[in-house]
Amino acid sequence: MTSDRSPSSAGADLPGPRSPATPYRMTVTTTLPHAEAVALADEQLASWLKQEGCEEPPPAHRAPAGTALAAERLRLGDRVLLDRDQGPLRGPSGAGRYDRRRLRTPAPHGTRQLTLTVATGAEGRTWFRLEAETHSTGSGVRTPCRVPVPELARTLLPLLDAGDGPAAVHPVPRVITADEVDALIDELCDPERRLPTVVASVPVNLPLDRWVEDVVRPLCRQLPGLATAYVLDPGARAGFNVALEYHTVYGGAVRTYLPEVDPASRQDGARHPVLARGRIEQDLRRAAGLLAREPRRLAADQPLPPPLAAVPVLRVPPPQLRPAADRRVVTSADATADTAAELAEFAREEQQDRAEQQARADELERVRRTLRLEHRDRGQTRDGHEGRLRTGARGLAGRHCTTPGSGPAVDQRSAALPFGWVGKPETFTDLMARLGEFPLLTFTGDQKAALALDGLQCAGAGWARLAWDGLTALQEYAEAAVRGAAGGDFKQWCEHTPDGCHRFPPRKAVRGESRTVFSHTKWKRERMLPVPECVDASRRAFMGAHLRIGGGRTAPRLHYLDDCSGSGRIYVGYIGLHLTNTRTN
């Protein structure tokens, strides 16, 4: 169930604590349909059990859509228990379904537990979660610092075609060439990325293949399912470091890029730890443990995706003694011993259940403490920022233009709450309903193109959140621009965002379309979008400036016109799938 070939699987690199070992948690998406993902998990789990000399579990029954099957407990060997359940997710009817497998096996001074969960939400995206943990008997014996990566994780990742937002999750590091640098940077900046991304460089005096085989692969041995890992070849290293001047990696060092990288921020660079070559070569085994520490922490602290969060608590029916007819009866003494052994087994199972319940309660309390601290910090930031917003809003009164009839009529100044503080919208339906929170932005386009994005399975909530980030940054830029304090256009604002303002990735802010698009009559006409008459008498203006919503060059776009120097506003004329160009035609 767990791999004993991990460099520090026994926790030798750090003194063993008497507290529980840090669990392993993998959360990825899969391109497989729900039923196929479950069948694959069952197949691999049965194969592992067979290798361990345990009984193979019988095939699980499938519950009809919208119904649940009671959890069942299978005894597959001495102290080997497999619990299985399935059914609809908590929430509105038809919101999705889940399947879960929980395996318990004996371990020195405790019990190993492996839990596989497959959950598919209403939007159709299938999530796969694998958890491995150890429940100690409380004997005080020193235990490993962390639960090693389960061998099932290494086996399942390639079979699941696992993903993390825009990235494929591989069990081993992948080499990046110069042609792939742009895609890697887009991946680092993508808001849907949940896992850390580890990027390794190669010393200039060593061959790439040798460094990867002798150093990078052993170094990343504890990362499968917890992070995506890449190696920059010599051609990719230069382009990568030029594009990410505040987030560079070179000379054999390895850098861990946490989610939400801001390439234009020097301050953000300090957030992404670097493991130097000297420390790696000094003790490769210890370095592997250090490299895995941050991905482990992030996997434990991150909130679950909504479908996995909606999986109900596993409730196994209470154990019952076997009927007397099923127990061997020779003498009263034998019967008594048989019953006592069975009761002892039930007691062990109940102890395991209580241990898991306590572990979950401890984890919930830790998360609550973290959330309380984050809420306090956000409240302090909000109090200081709210005063600046109100002052700026008072100075901008009277600059509003009438929105043309071709777009929805929204009073952009009527928002009761400052923008960005209610929480980011998860859908474009919510986003469009909340545009009034941006006093200096006016949407002039057709809502249908934006709302249609909610129907795309690949979108998830990342596109809507990224669009909201862009609108928030545009609003703050507009506040400065109407005062003449922006220091340039929106692209420059993103590259040098003032402290205290929301940052938007500069690579996703595009000043204008290519000459090819501008000179193509049909393509240019698509970008002639509605504006008020006070901006242009024709009530149309070319909106070449746009924001990339999501990774890739064919992802959705947000087109806008910056008229802060005229009417004192920014007009958003289009939110939707990429308009026609040489790549989409």
XYZ file of all heavy atoms in Angstrom, residues 23 173 245 270 282 359 498 512 514 563 569 578:
88
model
N 0.171 12.776 7.037
C -0.484 11.919 6.043
C -0.109 12.320 4.624
O 0.410 13.404 4.370
C -1.976 12.142 6.308
C -2.049 13.504 6.913
C -0.794 13.673 7.710
N 9.559 13.519 -13.122
C 9.808 14.836 -13.734
C 9.849 14.743 -15.265
O 10.289 13.746 -15.832
C 11.176 15.233 -13.165
C 11.363 14.387 -11.951
C 10.650 13.106 -12.220
N 11.989 37.192 -14.243
C 13.206 37.790 -13.679
C 13.229 37.775 -12.160
O 14.301 37.807 -11.552
C 13.353 39.221 -14.183
C 12.192 40.145 -13.831
C 12.438 41.575 -14.278
O 13.595 42.014 -14.196
O 11.467 42.232 -14.698
N 9.775 35.934 -3.239
C 10.221 35.388 -1.960
C 9.302 34.287 -1.445
O 9.659 33.563 -0.515
C 10.303 36.508 -0.922
N 24.922 17.712 -0.977
C 25.447 17.399 0.352
C 24.737 16.190 0.952
O 25.372 15.324 1.567
C 25.291 18.611 1.270
C 25.854 18.387 2.668
C 25.657 19.614 3.544
O 24.887 20.520 3.212
N 26.354 19.659 4.664
N -8.683 11.865 14.711
C -7.767 12.518 13.768
C -8.508 13.552 12.933
O -7.999 14.651 12.681
C -7.126 11.463 12.859
N 1.074 48.579 -7.700
C 1.393 49.188 -6.404
C 1.054 48.258 -5.246
O 0.161 47.404 -5.347
C 0.494 50.441 -6.378
C 0.159 50.711 -7.809
C 0.095 49.379 -8.472
N -3.007 44.867 -27.491
C -3.778 44.967 -28.722
C -3.636 43.721 -29.569
O -2.835 42.824 -29.268
N -2.933 41.597 -33.200
C -1.868 41.616 -34.191
C -2.291 42.432 -35.418
O -3.479 42.706 -35.632
C -1.529 40.186 -34.614
O -2.631 39.608 -35.297
N -10.904 54.226 -21.549
C -11.248 55.619 -21.844
C -11.143 56.462 -20.579
O -11.900 57.416 -20.380
C -12.669 55.704 -22.420
C -12.948 57.060 -23.075
O -12.087 57.539 -23.835
O -14.018 57.638 -22.793
N -13.772 56.175 -17.670
C -14.271 54.832 -17.421
C -13.546 53.831 -18.313
O -12.862 54.196 -19.282
C -15.779 54.735 -17.686
C -16.607 55.756 -16.932
C -18.096 55.517 -17.157
N -18.523 54.270 -16.548
C -18.711 54.118 -15.227
N -18.494 55.119 -14.399
N -19.104 52.962 -14.744
N -12.685 32.777 -27.361
C -11.748 33.539 -28.185
C -12.392 33.919 -29.523
O -12.931 33.059 -30.236
C -10.505 32.679 -28.438
C -9.307 33.449 -28.862
N -9.316 34.290 -29.952
C -8.050 33.503 -28.351
C -8.115 34.822 -30.103
N -7.333 34.373 -29.132
